[in-house]
Amino acid sequence: MYRTDGGGIRGLSMLIILEHLMNKLKVEENLLAVPHPCDYFDLIGGTGTGGLIALMLGRLRMSVEDAVKAYGQLVKEVFSDVKPPGSDRRFKASKLERAIKEIVRARSASQDPEEGLEDTRENACGTFVCTATAANMSLPVLLRTYNTCEHQAMDCTIWQAGRATSAAPTFFKQIQIGHPGVEEAFLDGGMGHNNPTTALLLEAKVLFPEKQIACIISLGTGQPHTINIPKSSLLNQVIPLDVIKAMQKIATDCEKEHQSFAHHFDGIANLYFRFNVEQGMQNIQLNQWENLSDVAANTREYIQSQLVVNQLADAVKSLSEKIGRVPTTGFSKFAALGHHI
């Protein structure tokens, strides 16, 4: 299983780490080509930036290399045009919509930018993104590519799911999804599932009740002390005070959840892995697309440290062996891409 955090342009960090893992798997298994994450993970989930990446890797079955290129182009297009002071949001949601639609058009099986979120293919990789409704931001809502005994895949498009999970309150306006007359307003799920590992495990329990967990990969976009929301970024934004306070706690909550799972799975070798750059991104804000090279450099320095090299080697071994380690209340393999603000 695989989960990813969000974090604007810092999401590139997650892709670089995952690219390294896939390259190592190619060598470990003597493959002719670098494998796609969708061929190694049974379930991928994410929030915000991590949600967009989850859709690219899981629903659209993209290689990490292609996802890096698409992601770089998307953040440049979306964040290069800041709305004037006094606007209710900093960036144009219409640009984000167009960018996601172009990725779907180029990478979906139908080449239709309006392709539905549900994936009925035999080789489908279960994928979900975390969102929330404007009516109840404290209750996370999952937009799934699959059906479960309790939930049907939501009747929406891939691009709508991407827009919903990316609609951070200060950055993009909400998106209305649903049948005419009964639409609901969705925004990103960072308030409740910024680190969606809990959601990932609950989904795995429902989807794979008889399986064993072999490996959990959790990717972040920076340690909490390197992440903050500068007060200047909140000026001229019509955002409720309770929303602002909640956003300021998101990064800390991400790391708290990681610590909880690290403790829970302590003693089970090579099951739970968390990769998250520790230093170097303190001054890189979510929208600074021109600093993508700095994100890449800091991430590559992180993965070259001896401790991380050893952890990556253990993760590759776990993914290659595919040995179940705990029941679903445990499961087979999963990944989570979360969302750091």
Side-chain angles (χ1 to χ4, degrees):
M1 296 195 304
Y2 167 63
R3 64 145 294 277
T4 59
D5 296 351
I9 71 158
R10 291 192 297 261
L12 177 63
S13 180
M14 297 185 289
L15 284 169
I16 290 174
I17 294 170
L18 190 58
E19 183 177 42
H20 188 76
L21 277 172
M22 292 297 106
N23 284 325
K24 291 290 186 182
L25 272 170
K26 175 180 179 292
V27 175
E28 177 75 15
E29 301 199 349
N30 196 28
L31 303 175
L32 296 177
V34 178
H36 291 200
C38 60
D39 294 324
Y40 274 82
F41 296 109
D42 298 307
L43 185 61
I44 299 178
T47 305
T49 294
L52 283 176
I53 293 173
L55 290 171
M56 286 192 279
L57 300 177
R59 177 60 179 82
L60 297 175
R61 303 185 67 83
M62 292 170 63
S63 68
V64 181
E65 181 181 7
D66 288 342
V68 168
K69 294 176 183 177
Y71 179 79
Q73 184 62 32
L74 180 146
V75 296
K76 182 178 180 179
E77 291 178 7
V78 172
F79 293 127
S80 60
D81 186 9
V82 183
K83 295 171 73 174
S87 301
D88 60 346
R89 298 293 185 269
R90 294 183 68 190
F91 303 98
K92 295 180 179 178
S94 58
K95 282 201 166 188
L96 178 58
E97 291 177 13
R98 285 196 298 270
I100 300 174
K101 284 182 179 179
E102 176 54 30
I103 294 173
V104 176
R105 183 203 63 75
R107 298 296 176 178
S108 65
S110 66
Q111 296 187 326
D112 179 3
E114 299 291 336
E115 182 167 320
L117 179 62
E118 184 178 2
D119 192 352
T120 59
R121 293 173 293 184
E122 288 188 5
N123 65 345
C125 174
T127 307
F128 69 83
V129 299
C130 297
T131 65
T133 63
N136 188 355
M137 292 187 298
S138 64
L139 181 64
V141 176
L142 304 189
L143 302 184
R144 303 169 175 85
T145 65
Y146 50 87
N147 297 311
T148 72
C149 58
E150 298 178 357
H151 301 282
Q152 295 294 304
M154 187 166 182
D155 185 14
C156 69
T157 63
I158 299 171
W159 78 260
Q160 286 175 321
R163 258 284 282 123
T165 193
S166 304
T170 59
F171 279 69
F172 301 103
K173 68 180 181 181
Q174 303 160 2
I175 179 174
Q176 300 284 333
I177 301 177
H179 297 293
V182 291
E183 301 99 331
E184 289 185 89
F186 287 85
L187 63 159
D188 87 325
M191 304 302 172
H193 272 328
N194 202 47
N195 179 331
T197 307
T198 296
L200 193 78
L201 289 167
L202 292 174
E203 291 295 290
K205 181 180 178 181
V206 173
L207 284 173
F208 312 104
E210 304 301 324
K211 289 190 176 182
Q212 297 271 316
I213 301 176
C215 184
I216 305 169
I217 303 290
S218 172
L219 301 180
T221 57
Q223 292 284 3
H225 64 278
T226 70
I227 300 168
N228 62 72
I229 306 173
K231 292 182 180 179
S232 60
S233 73
L234 301 175
L235 295 178
N236 302 313
Q237 305 296 323
V238 186
I239 306 296
L241 181 60
D242 60 339
V243 174
I244 293 173
K245 290 181 178 179
M247 292 178 69
Q248 290 170 330
K249 294 180 180 178
I250 282 175
T252 300
D253 290 343
C254 265
E255 207 59 25
K256 281 182 179 179
E257 183 153 346
H258 155 57
Q259 293 297 337
S260 175
F261 280 102
H263 176 74
H264 180 75
F265 292 121
D266 185 36
I268 306 175
N270 297 339
L271 173 66
Y272 174 77
F273 299 92
R274 169 75 167 171
F275 298 106
N276 196 17
V277 176
E278 296 174 354
Q279 291 290 341
M281 292 195 260
Q282 294 94 326
N283 299 317
I284 300 176
Q285 297 184 26
L286 278 71
N287 58 304
Q288 293 178 329
W289 62 267
E290 65 274 14
N291 289 332
L292 281 171
S293 60
D294 292 339
V295 174
N298 289 320
T299 304
R300 296 192 192 285
E301 181 178 355
Y302 165 76
I303 61 180
Q304 289 172 5
S305 68
Q306 192 57 53
L307 176 62
V308 178
V309 166
N310 293 338
Q311 291 173 335
L312 287 166
D314 288 340
V316 168
K317 181 179 179 181
S318 179
L319 288 170
S320 180
E321 289 178 342
K322 305 179 180 68
I323 298 173
R325 290 174 169 82
V326 295
T328 66
T329 44
F331 152 71
S332 130
K333 296 159 291 178
F334 35 88
L337 306 119
H339 177 110
H340 279 325
I341 292 290

